[in-house]
Amino acid sequence: MFYLGVSVLAYALNNVLWKRMLSSFAPSILLTVRAFFTSVIGLLVAFSLYNNVLVVSQTDFLRSMIASVIGALGLFFMLSALKQGTLKLLALYNLFTVFITASFLFIFEDLDVVNYGYGSFLMLSGYFLFFFHSNKQNLKFPIAVHLKFALMSLLFAASGLMHWYNLLENMHPVFVAANQEIVVLILGLCLVKLNGYKMIDIKKVLHFKHLRFIFLMALVIFVAVYFGLLGMLQSNPFILSLTSLAVPILTFFFGVWFFREKFTLQSIIALTAMVTAAYLLR
């Protein structure tokens, strides 16, 4: 559970860093530059700390690539849906990912429903409490937005399950993380090309004062991905997807800390419930 806790904290901190940078740059450009750094970090870690971690069979490489491409496509649909949707709607669709993952594990794996019941109930209760008692927001969006978010959820669930099975087959988490980020880098380059950004748009983000901040984002997200994979290896994708629901809650608290956003009693209760759930799901 320690690895998942570190991963959740890193993802929440990454959201705060994104909030700061997105006010100045396009998401696809930031995504591309960040993915470049995360890819480099992953390769450096692989070559420096581990022996032959990048030496995999053709079959393992193909399996990892399929999972990474599916995850990258999920990211594409997420970014596309967010053009008209909101982060709140995105967070609600995270539940869909949880239930897809849980349903698969309930049917095909020996998952102890009793032990997971209390933790799941508290996690979902805290999640709903936070979002439905926060500022009221209209959740009526075009059907295309809901379809893109639904595809995102399906792809994220499929990718998470495939990565989990790959890890169980002794595929190294560093290889999985590095490969995932390289695929995201390729996706980012495609998005930049499709959006028709010019070199002048890219040069703005390459200024040193911005690059050092994006490098921090890359380091944080690599920690989030790597520790998330380690946590998944010790548990399963269901626990990973459930604990990841704490990310928007922690993001809110980081927002209170860094941006002096409004602090509510409902937020405290919700976070307490989700922390308790994390303990039960350990």
Side-chain angles (χ1 to χ4, degrees):
M1 204 64 202
F2 168 76
Y3 292 128
L4 291 180
V6 173
S7 178
V8 165
L9 286 171
Y11 273 120
L13 180 57
N14 178 69
N15 289 342
V16 175
L17 298 175
W18 268 100
K19 180 177 180 179
R20 175 173 173 177
M21 294 300 290
L22 282 174
S23 61
S24 304
F25 302 103
S28 57
I29 294 178
L30 276 178
L31 178 68
T32 303
V33 178
R34 193 221 68 187
F36 169 77
F37 281 128
T38 49
S39 299
V40 171
I41 291 172
L43 292 173
L44 287 176
V45 170
F47 284 120
S48 301
L49 302 181
Y50 300 97
N51 295 321
N52 300 323
V53 67
L54 297 181
V55 179
V56 296
S57 67
Q58 185 175 358
T59 302
D60 287 345
F61 178 76
L62 181 61
R63 291 208 315 264
S64 180
M65 281 298 297
I66 292 174
S68 296
V69 169
I70 290 174
L73 288 174
L75 180 61
F76 168 77
F77 281 110
M78 183 190 80
L79 293 175
S80 179
L82 279 175
K83 290 181 179 179
Q84 292 178 277
T86 63
L87 289 174
K88 185 174 183 178
L89 186 61
L90 169 63
L92 292 176
Y93 268 94
N94 284 342
L95 286 172
F96 192 26
T97 304
V98 173
F99 289 126
I100 294 172
T101 304
S103 298
F104 181 91
L105 293 174
F106 287 154
I107 295 172
F108 297 104
E109 298 291 337
D110 186 19
L111 189 66
D112 192 335
V113 181
V114 175
N115 289 343
Y116 286 82
Y118 295 112
S120 301
F121 174 76
L122 282 174
M123 182 69 73
L124 298 179
S125 296
Y127 185 77
F128 277 116
L129 178 64
F130 176 77
F131 283 102
F132 287 104
H133 287 274
S134 59
N135 295 330
K136 300 299 180 180
Q137 186 173 6
N138 186 7
L139 294 179
K140 294 181 180 178
F141 296 95
I143 186 64
V145 174
H146 289 281
L147 287 175
K148 290 175 182 177
F149 273 131
L151 284 171
M152 173 207 72
S153 298
L154 285 167
L155 292 168
F156 279 170
S159 177
L161 286 164
M162 293 181 69
H163 279 315
W164 182 52
Y165 283 115
N166 288 339
L167 291 171
L168 292 179
E169 294 295 325
N170 295 321
M171 194 175 294
H172 202 288
V174 171
F175 169 76
V176 174
N179 188 54
Q180 176 73 67
E181 289 307 309
I182 291 172
V183 172
V184 171
L185 173 61
I186 296 172
L187 170 68
L189 290 171
C190 293
L191 288 175
V192 170
K193 181 65 175 179
L194 291 173
N195 288 329
Y197 290 112
K198 299 180 180 179
M199 183 56 64
I200 190 173
D201 299 314
I202 300 175
K203 284 183 177 180
K204 292 179 181 178
V205 79
L206 296 180
H207 193 283
F208 177 72
K209 68 177 182 180
H210 300 310
L211 281 180
R212 63 185 181 182
F213 201 83
I214 296 175
F215 178 78
L216 176 60
M217 294 173 62
L219 189 60
V220 169
I221 196 61
F222 184 81
V223 169
V225 172
Y226 178 57
F227 276 77
L229 290 170
L230 289 177
M232 186 192 298
L233 183 60
Q234 294 185 351
S235 54
N236 59 58
F238 178 46
I239 293 182
L240 176 64
S241 56
L242 271 176
T243 53
S244 68
L245 296 180
V247 171
I249 306 291
L250 291 173
T251 300
F252 171 79
F253 278 91
F254 280 138
V256 172
W257 189 8
F258 290 108
F259 302 108
R260 299 185 182 277
E261 296 178 355
K262 187 176 180 181
F263 198 89
T264 64
L265 177 61
Q266 289 88 351
S267 302
I268 300 175
I269 297 174
L271 184 63
T272 301
M274 298 180 84
V275 169
T276 303
Y279 173 77
L280 293 175
L281 290 169
R282 71 193 189 282

